[in-house]
Amino acid sequence: MKALGKLAALSLTAVLTATACGGGQDTPAASGPQPLRMTIWTSTEAHLKLFDEIAEEYRRTHPNVGKITFDPIPFESYTTTLTTQIAGGKAPDLAWVLESSAPDFVSSGALAPLKSKIENVGELIPSATRLWQQDGELYAYPFSTSPFGVFVNNDLVKAAGQKTPRELAEAGTWDWEHAAAVNAAAAAKSGKSGLVILNFDYKGWDNLATVWGGWGAKAWSDDGATCAFNGPEMTEAMTFLHKSIFTDKAMPGPGTTADFFSGDATMAVAQISRAAMLKDASFDWDLLPLPAGPKGPYAVIGQAGIGVLKKSPNAELAADFLAYFTNTANSAKLAAYFPPPRRSQLTAETLAKTNPLLKPDQLQQVVIDGIGKGVVKPSHTGQAELAQTVRAALDPLWKPDADVKAVLDGVCAKIQPMLGA
């Protein structure tokens, strides 16, 4: 199974290119109402309910469209499963695409152009569309442009006799040094975990950009040609993480699972879509921007786009549905969980209407200010293969006696030939 997963990951670019050049689904559409299928990675009930409502509204005025299915695929295997479907001739009509896969999907020609389809395309924020454009054309709608923040369990913090992150922020000391100290103290006092970084679990290394960004570290140079894992900034950031895990016990170690939203951790780095999981929380919680690092305040953005597979027999219908799904009115509805790329909707007042669990100042500080100054998580052509290689090369780092610099030198030795320089 592991070998199969690696094969699927390695073949992403080849599969997409083959699909764009004539492979995949290119049979004529059948007569009668045509069904549509969109692959997604959320299975959250509230999200699915909203999607179904939008789809049913669309179908009322489009009798030529049959059932619209939203097909959840687990996040951790999403791109691999989608690649397998495409390679097997069972590609969806529409698909969510992770920012890490954007360069491959866009450059391969596998996605249909959308610029002329999207309502009020001119109000989309340029920084939100950058990853999804090529030669002036838009190939996916960035439905979620979501900076990462830190959810906090204030009850665990106070029980450990610590100042809350909100108090630290007001005092100008909300930084990684203080955050680590609070998490270490709270974990020691409660017997629960300190800080968790969602979707990391010692596998999704790109989620660590939410920490290393505070040191000004990067995975590779801006032009993507040179490995930067063994640079001084990354070495310092990873040394901090290693110490937090194995010395300070401020973060759960490998093999430990902790669910912040069930009250099992002190803090969690996540996006605002996770706030829905705190609707019935039994503890006092807060949401703050990422702590400042040695380089000062910063923000990191996770992004996802919706694209139409060009070789889908229903590509035209799919593009029309996507235009409806993301129009101004529906974009406002989706903003309850996914920060929109539309300039007119990125205000604290607007977002607060559909995010009742979050306060306007939280939305302003984490989302709006974050989009204004944030950088998107690492992405590169051939990202699937790079991700597998980096993950394996970082494995020796997650041991108490690891030589951080040596491990990071090893990462660059592995991936530099893959970066094309």
Side-chain angles (χ1 to χ4, degrees):
M1 182 63 71
K2 183 176 180 180
L4 179 61
K6 184 175 182 180
L7 178 61
L10 292 175
S11 64
L12 174 60
T13 304
V15 167
L16 292 175
T17 302
T19 300
C21 294
Q25 293 173 272
D26 52 7
T27 56
S31 60
Q34 296 302 298
L36 296 175
R37 181 171 68 93
M38 182 194 297
T39 53
I40 59 179
W41 57 76
T42 181
S43 57
T44 301
E45 185 177 344
H47 299 172
L48 297 174
K49 182 176 183 291
L50 175 58
F51 299 164
D52 286 336
E53 288 173 354
I54 295 174
E56 285 307 305
E57 290 171 359
Y58 177 78
R59 289 185 62 205
R60 289 191 195 108
T61 55
H62 294 77
N64 57 329
V65 177
K67 182 175 177 57
I68 300 176
T69 302
F70 298 96
D71 184 11
I73 298 172
F75 181 88
E76 59 272 12
S77 60
Y78 181 83
T79 299
T80 299
T81 302
L82 178 58
T83 304
T84 302
Q85 290 184 6
I86 294 171
K90 297 180 180 179
D93 302 291
L94 307 96
W96 286 10
V97 180
L98 280 164
E99 75 282 301
S100 58
S101 300
D104 286 319
F105 273 88
V106 172
S107 65
S108 68
L111 299 177
L114 297 173
K115 191 173 183 178
S116 64
K117 307 286 187 180
I118 301 300
E119 181 179 284
N120 296 332
V121 70
E123 78 155 337
L124 302 185
I125 298 172
S127 60
T129 58
R130 182 183 61 83
L131 271 180
W132 313 98
Q133 289 183 315
Q134 182 171 272
D135 299 328
E137 181 57 76
L138 182 68
Y139 289 96
Y141 177 90
F143 76 99
S144 180
T145 299
S146 186
F148 288 85
V150 179
F151 286 92
V152 180
N153 184 325
N154 283 328
D155 290 350
L156 293 181
V157 172
K158 293 176 181 177
Q162 300 292 306
K163 291 183 178 179
T164 67
R166 181 68 56 184
E167 291 171 327
L168 293 174
E170 291 171 352
T173 55
W174 175 232
D175 54 39
W176 277 113
E177 180 182 354
H178 285 85
V182 171
N183 278 288
K189 177 69 175 180
S190 67
K192 298 183 178 182
S193 293
L195 174 77
V196 294
I197 300 173
L198 266 65
N199 298 320
F200 166 47
D201 195 29
Y202 295 90
K203 300 173 185 176
W205 58 268
D206 56 332
N207 290 291
L208 294 180
T210 57
V211 177
W212 77 50
W215 279 256
K218 299 178 181 179
W220 35 72
S221 57
D222 290 339
D223 63 5
T226 305
C227 177
F229 267 98
N230 59 353
E233 298 86 359
M234 185 68 83
T235 302
E236 290 178 15
M238 289 297 199
T239 298
F240 166 81
L241 276 166
H242 190 272
K243 180 175 181 290
S244 295
I245 296 164
F246 295 104
T247 303
D248 300 337
K249 310 297 183 182
M251 295 175 62
T256 302
T257 300
D259 180 9
F260 170 86
F261 302 94
S262 296
D264 296 333
T266 309
M267 300 183 198
V269 174
Q271 294 158 301
I272 67 165
S273 60
R274 302 285 182 163
M277 301 172 69
L278 292 167
K279 182 179 179 181
D280 299 315
S282 59
F283 54 89
D284 176 38
W285 61 273
D286 199 355
L287 173 65
L288 289 93
L290 295 172
K295 296 290 186 180
Y298 68 106
V300 176
I301 298 170
Q303 202 174 40
I306 305 174
V308 173
L309 274 296
K310 189 163 64 177
K311 284 296 178 177
S312 161
N314 301 313
E316 283 297 319
L317 285 178
D320 189 71
F321 173 63
L322 176 56
Y324 181 83
F325 190 79
T326 61
N327 66 23
T328 304
N330 287 323
S331 178
K333 296 176 184 177
L334 293 169
Y337 311 107
F338 310 103
R342 295 185 179 277
R343 188 177 289 104
S344 64
Q345 294 174 339
L346 276 176
T347 68
E349 293 75 20
T350 299
L351 292 175
K353 292 177 182 176
T354 50
N355 291 273
L357 294 178
L358 297 173
K359 300 174 183 176
D361 65 327
Q362 293 172 325
L363 292 165
Q364 180 69 48
Q365 295 166 7
V366 176
V367 180
I368 299 170
D369 293 348
I371 290 175
K373 66 185 177 185
V375 297
V376 179
K377 287 169 54 185
S379 64
H380 200 289
T381 53
Q383 178 83 2
E385 183 179 3
L386 277 168
Q388 293 274 10
T389 304
V390 172
R391 174 183 168 182
L394 281 176
D395 276 348
L397 184 61
W398 313 127
K399 298 177 181 178
D401 59 350
D403 182 329
V404 175
K405 184 61 167 63
V407 171
L408 297 179
D409 283 339
V411 173
C412 282
K414 290 289 187 179
I415 71 169
Q416 185 57 52
M418 302 166 66
L419 298 178

